Amino acid sequence: MKHLFTLLLLLLSVTLIAQEENSNSSEKKFAFEGSVDTYYRTNFTAPNDENHIAPGTSFADTAGFSLGMGNIIASYEKGKVGAVADLVFGPRGEAASATVLNQLFAFYNISENTKLTLGKFNTYLGYEVISPVGNFNYSTSYLFSNGPFSHTGLKADFTLSEDFSLMLGVFNQTDVTEFNPNGSYAVGAQLGYSGQYLNFLYDDAGLGFEVDYTGGFDVSDNFFLGINAAYADNDGEGFYGADLYPQYSFSDSFSLGLRGEYFQEQSEFVEDDLSVVAVTLTGSYTVEDLIIKPEFRFDSGSEDIFIDTDLMATKSLGSFVVAAIYKF
């Protein structure tokens, strides 16, 4: 509570200073936004007790009523430079970040087509993100959970044309925030074309090599199809898989989305690598700034990775989550 109180005082001070400066200069821009989320989760085919049976993915893995995270984002920009402080509290934030600092970076727009960013920022790989505001499904995929969450380092974003973009970056080891223990760095790149992105990361002291495709298409005015595929290898250990995200908007306030995923572990030291097929059906109902998400999920593994209500090993798990997400 002491740290939380100190952070809130710091944010209040920054807000007051920024408001005062904004009154003296129209070039200075301060923005304050964030979200809170909470959920209820239950297993249909497994016990809801101290065994903590849940899909092998990040977040939303506690039975009963639980907390997600509180997210507070303060950003400030003046002319060509600016900074962002993105703070997280709660179990989801703690699982995603070693500190309360989800993101903390400064940026410099060298020109209209070139931007430099230095600090900690969320990863550019994958279809899903840490904050539930940015995802259609509340629970996360195996691809997201096994890839990087954030990077600390320097990146350069280039707008090459109206359709093409390029990002180049050098970072600490994957998910290492404040200290690089052995001086080994990761390098990354992203090539974008009309909303489709091909991502690369090489981190010989951490994740290894990962290539990732993220994109999607508007099939019609109401139907969107998102796509994610990835391959990762770290000296014979890694994974690969693909996700499809069909989403249909029935109205301005209600949408229905499905995530179908195939995920495969790979290891030179394991004879039969584990694979998982997961299907997640999520509804999204919006009331002003509140989003209600009921979600049914079914996971099936190639091996007995779950237990059933009789405490016997089984390959599959059926579960349900309903989440409330408020954004401001």
Side-chain angles (χ1 to χ4, degrees), residues 263-274:
F263 178 80
Q264 174 75 62
E265 294 182 352
Q266 57 177 0
S267 173
E268 294 180 352
F269 310 103
V270 178
E271 183 177 353
D272 295 318
D273 295 323
L274 173 67

Side-chain angles (χ1 to χ4, degrees), residues 39-43 48 53-55 60-64 317 319-321:
Y39 67 92
Y40 171 81
R41 180 183 175 279
T42 186
N43 293 317
N48 295 286
I53 303 302
D61 55 2
T62 303
L317 174 68
S319 58
F320 171 76
V321 170

Side-chain angles (χ1 to χ4, degrees), residues 56-58 140-149 174-175 207 210 232 238-240 261 263-265:
T57 55
S58 299
T140 57
S141 68
Y142 287 87
L143 285 182
F144 169 81
S145 302
N146 284 272
F149 286 165
T174 301
D175 294 329
L207 183 66
E210 182 173 355
F239 61 87
Y240 62 87
E261 177 172 27
F263 178 80
Q264 174 75 62
E265 294 182 352

Side-chain angles (χ1 to χ4, degrees), residues 9-219:
L9 286 179
L10 177 61
L11 282 172
L12 179 60
S13 301
V14 172
T15 302
L16 294 174
I17 294 172
Q19 288 176 340
E20 180 179 353
E21 291 181 345
N22 279 337
S23 64
N24 299 326
S25 174
S26 60
E27 296 181 356
K28 301 176 182 179
K29 301 177 182 178
F30 176 80
F32 185 78
E33 59 183 326
S35 67
V36 296
D37 66 279
T38 183
Y39 67 92
Y40 171 81
R41 180 183 175 279
T42 186
N43 293 317
F44 294 132
T45 62
N48 295 286
D49 54 20
E50 67 276 2
N51 290 293
H52 298 295
I53 303 302
T57 55
S58 299
F59 321 140
D61 55 2
T62 303
F65 294 100
S66 188
L67 302 178
M69 73 180 198
N71 193 197
I72 301 173
I73 306 172
S75 60
Y76 184 68
E77 184 173 1
K78 178 185 178 183
K80 295 184 176 182
V81 299
V84 172
D86 179 353
L87 309 181
V88 290
F89 311 95
R92 188 177 183 121
E94 293 170 0
S97 179
T99 70
V100 297
L101 298 174
N102 182 35
Q103 300 185 96
L104 185 69
F105 59 84
F107 62 86
Y108 173 29
N109 294 304
I110 299 177
S111 69
E112 292 183 356
N113 300 321
T114 304
K115 178 180 180 180
L116 292 179
T117 302
L118 178 63
K120 180 184 179 182
F121 33 82
N122 290 162
T123 186
Y124 55 95
L125 289 92
Y127 186 89
E128 300 176 16
V129 295
I130 294 171
S131 171
V133 174
N135 296 332
F136 190 92
N137 307 102
Y138 186 71
S139 68
T140 57
S141 68
Y142 287 87
L143 285 182
F144 169 81
S145 302
N146 284 272
F149 286 165
S150 300
H151 308 283
T152 301
L154 174 67
K155 66 174 181 175
D157 290 281
F158 306 95
T159 301
L160 304 180
S161 69
E162 185 176 343
D163 295 323
F164 280 100
S165 65
L166 175 67
M167 186 281 293
L168 300 173
V170 57
F171 322 115
N172 281 348
Q173 296 175 34
T174 301
D175 294 329
V176 172
T177 301
E178 297 178 346
F179 174 63
N180 196 335
N182 63 4
S184 178
Y185 293 90
V187 292
Q190 178 187 79
L191 179 64
Y193 175 73
S194 296
Q196 315 305 313
Y197 299 95
L198 188 60
N199 308 303
F200 301 91
L201 177 69
Y202 179 70
D203 179 7
D204 63 348
L207 183 66
F209 172 75
E210 182 173 355
V211 57
D212 169 275
Y213 163 69
T214 302
F217 304 90
D218 290 311
V219 181

Side-chain angles (χ1 to χ4, degrees), residues 244-320:
L244 292 178
Y245 298 84
Q247 299 161 12
Y248 190 85
S249 298
F250 292 89
S251 67
D252 292 338
S253 60
F254 181 71
S255 299
L256 197 62
L258 184 74
R259 177 180 61 214
E261 177 172 27
Y262 176 79
F263 178 80
Q264 174 75 62
E265 294 182 352
Q266 57 177 0
S267 173
E268 294 180 352
F269 310 103
V270 178
E271 183 177 353
D272 295 318
D273 295 323
L274 173 67
S275 64
V276 179
V277 174
V279 178
T280 306
L281 179 65
T282 306
S284 181
Y285 178 66
T286 302
V287 183
E288 296 181 356
D289 293 326
L290 177 66
I291 308 172
I292 306 297
K293 289 184 179 286
E295 180 172 287
F296 295 90
R297 176 166 176 163
F298 180 78
D299 294 64
S300 179
S302 58
E303 302 174 10
D304 293 339
I305 54 177
F306 304 109
I307 62 173
D308 61 21
T309 53
D310 295 322
L311 303 183
M312 300 297 293
T314 182
K315 294 181 178 180
S316 61
L317 174 68
S319 58
F320 171 76

